[in-house]
Amino acid sequence: MTDGHAPGAPGGPGNAHRALRDLVTAATVRIHRAGAGYALDEPGTFLGSGYFVAPEWVLTCAHVARSGEGGEVTVVYETGPGRGTSAVAGDVATTLPPHVEGVVRGSWPAPDLALVRLRESVDHDCAYVTERPVAYYEEAKVLYSGWSVVGGELRRVNGTCTVQGTLGGWSEGEQIRLGGDVLPPGVSGGPVVDPVRGEVVGVLKSQADRGLGGTCTGVEQLRSLPVPTGEVRGEDADLYQAVFRAHDRYHRDRQRHPDYDGNTWADVQGQLGARPGRAFSPFERTRLLGRLADLPPPASTGELFGILESLLGSHAAIPHPAPRAWRDGLGALYESSRQDGALELVIDYVVRVMTAERPFVDADTKSAERALWRWAWRAAESLGVRYRRQLAQRKVESLRPLLNRAEYQAEAQRARALAHGAEGAPRPYALLELEQLGWERDRYDWRVSVGRPDGEVVRLGEDKRIPLAELTGSLAAPLAEAFRQCDQPWRPAVLQVALPHQLLGLDVDAWRFAPDAPPLGAHRPVVVRCADREQLPDEGDFIDRQLPADEEQHEREARWRWIHAYGGKAEVLDCEDGLRVSVPSTESLRGLPHTTVPVLCRYGDHRFEDDPVALLRIVHGGYGVALWRRRPRQPDAVCGEFHRRVGDTIAEAGSAERLPEVVHALRVGLRAGLRETNWADGIALFYDDPSLHLPGTGDLLEAP
């Protein structure tokens, strides 16, 4: 599976090859019928194999995925050595070819590929998929992995095959013929790996009718997935781009994760001696692909063609299927680069990528462009003064329109935020106040009120000493009345939940008032407020230095006004490159810009300070808006997707006034099973308007 550009480790299977097998095994899954329940170890529910190509995405054969019923399957995977297996439901998102009539069960015409998307977010390992233009180059050995029924039991199977040639042409889904080993039933859908470069190049398709071997499909066939016909407003509009941008970001984030002590794919590729495109190391390649994945994709395949032809000449061979993503273009350069010009060619490509037309611009585009410029400049240090001078001139010429575009986007965002603020008249809201009894920690007093647009707060009901397990039953009727008084047609009112600082993490949005009812947060916007600011612990406990009450109130009001007029910017406080860190001191938080919206990624990880202390510092820092997620994570979980998505969400909301509705929409999406919202599982919004005094804490009158 190699053309000789990357010499492998000598001496046969060594430590690097064993490590490669471990990585392949960790990413390989087995596919079962939907609803298999406790019969996951029973061969009768087993359909075939597959492997994770990106977070929440499994690549397998169409004939495997479509052997289930209704486009639903169960994916069984291992979360790590010794951790046992886990199962998660998945849906067949697409197949190639997409529509097939009269197919015999268990068969599918070439290329016979399917992408399965998990219904929930789980932590798992992903394979590294090649970005090279075609999987087959010459006779070579490849590794394979999968599952099969051996002796009546489901067992892992791996082995080695040799490339014998091809079957069919590119227009009919070219397949690679394999020989040299028996491919047992069940391994269809499993990964095929180039052991020299240490990357997945194909999917096992079929076994030979007689003798050894069978066929596999190159992963490049996924480029033939349908292209969106309408306007592309975001990454999720194009399935191919969504999967492989997530793939490249995952491997970038995994490589730089400081709390991960296992081998990464780049580690093993480095041990194998791979040199991608003769231009840089696997580590550099992983970082570059991650940066390219932070950019919006090409506006079209024609746009990408134009860039490649400008670099390679009009007679350069364009592979089939045509490249579609920035990573595909980079892989195409590998086949045309000269030894003395490989790095220069890649840098020239990156510069053209940064100045290409965009189908859309998101909150991270500007920073991604700047990061790529920094990469290009550092990479050019070895290419001489003349080339660097040319690069600097191109940067000046190219950056001007980028800045103009970024400034335009910022102005447009501010205009939308101000317009929204002008239109947004005060609306009624429901208010739930909970107080934990100091002498009975498992019991609560509650009050339900309605906040009217004129500022008056009307009490509807209250009760005392209610156990936590009985709260929903006690609150059902008064909250229903509050909602009836506040809701507008097609626009449910916000529920503000005022909690003491120790309870700010309470998952009120997950409450259900009937067994078949949706979670409260999927029914309406739910935000939390701090009910005991005046009684927060003093500097002798957790806070380094308190401000006088009037100064703290002034700081709160100033921050609140700013992010509602101009929008906010996410600042993850407790996680750096996937490693849990302590939340900065309150004094440090006060020094952050007024655009800052604090975000907690590792809420629930008690290896450092308690979560209430982290939230307490945010409250004391003068912040009225913050986000966190309550979903427990493994210490080494990759969280780059959460960081990116929460940053996009806050930036795209414009005025912070929209955040309650935005978070509500995410919870509705989670309830509906929309995969693009999985990153927001367990999200909580702190939204504490300093102008809305809680009853008894301000000078507002309270109705009897």
Side-chain angles (χ1 to χ4, degrees), residues 543-545 584-592 621:
I543 307 304
D544 39 82
R545 184 172 64 83
S585 67
T586 305
E587 189 167 1
S588 297
L589 293 178
R590 291 186 187 122
L592 294 178

Side-chain angles (χ1 to χ4, degrees), residues 405-451:
R405 184 175 68 228
E407 289 166 357
Y408 170 79
Q409 291 290 328
E411 283 297 327
Q413 186 181 79
R414 282 195 289 270
R416 286 193 299 269
L418 291 172
H420 182 86
E423 296 171 359
R427 296 174 54 209
Y429 61 90
L431 174 65
L432 167 63
E433 300 171 82
L434 285 181
E435 181 179 352
Q436 190 176 38
L437 302 183
W439 58 95
E440 291 180 298
R441 306 299 290 177
D442 62 337
R443 293 180 179 270
Y444 300 82
D445 294 350
W446 62 258
R447 294 179 293 276
V448 172
S449 308
V450 169

Side-chain angles (χ1 to χ4, degrees), residues 342-515:
L343 181 57
E344 183 175 329
L345 190 63
V346 170
I347 295 174
D348 288 344
Y349 173 72
V350 169
V351 171
R352 283 166 172 78
V353 166
M354 285 186 289
T355 56
E357 289 296 321
R358 306 269 189 256
F360 59 87
V361 176
D362 56 29
D364 288 334
T365 300
K366 185 176 179 179
S367 60
E369 289 168 340
R370 288 177 170 170
L372 273 171
W373 272 117
R374 290 194 296 269
W375 176 89
W377 189 252
R378 286 195 298 267
E381 290 177 355
S382 63
L383 295 179
V385 175
R386 175 178 294 183
Y387 182 81
R388 293 201 304 276
R389 186 181 298 118
Q390 294 173 352
L391 183 63
Q393 181 61 34
R394 287 155 65 189
K395 177 177 181 180
V396 171
E397 295 171 354
S398 302
L399 196 56
R400 188 176 296 111
L402 295 182
L403 289 175
N404 290 341
R405 184 175 68 228
E407 289 166 357
Y408 170 79
Q409 291 290 328
E411 283 297 327
Q413 186 181 79
R414 282 195 289 270
R416 286 193 299 269
L418 291 172
H420 182 86
E423 296 171 359
R427 296 174 54 209
Y429 61 90
L431 174 65
L432 167 63
E433 300 171 82
L434 285 181
E435 181 179 352
Q436 190 176 38
L437 302 183
W439 58 95
E440 291 180 298
R441 306 299 290 177
D442 62 337
R443 293 180 179 270
Y444 300 82
D445 294 350
W446 62 258
R447 294 179 293 276
V448 172
S449 308
V450 169
R452 293 180 172 169
D454 60 3
E456 183 181 15
V457 179
V458 179
R459 179 74 50 78
L460 296 183
E462 59 184 311
D463 207 345
K464 298 182 180 295
R465 302 184 63 248
I466 306 300
L468 180 61
E470 300 176 13
L471 267 179
T472 54
S474 178
L475 287 166
L479 281 178
E481 178 60 28
F483 298 152
R484 276 192 292 271
Q485 294 188 21
C486 297
D487 287 351
Q488 299 173 358
W490 307 107
R491 194 172 187 182
V494 174
L495 172 62
Q496 299 183 11
V497 184
L499 301 165
H501 70 275
Q502 300 97 329
L503 294 178
L504 284 175
L506 190 65
D507 59 344
V508 179
D509 55 277
W511 288 358
R512 298 173 187 265
F513 292 102

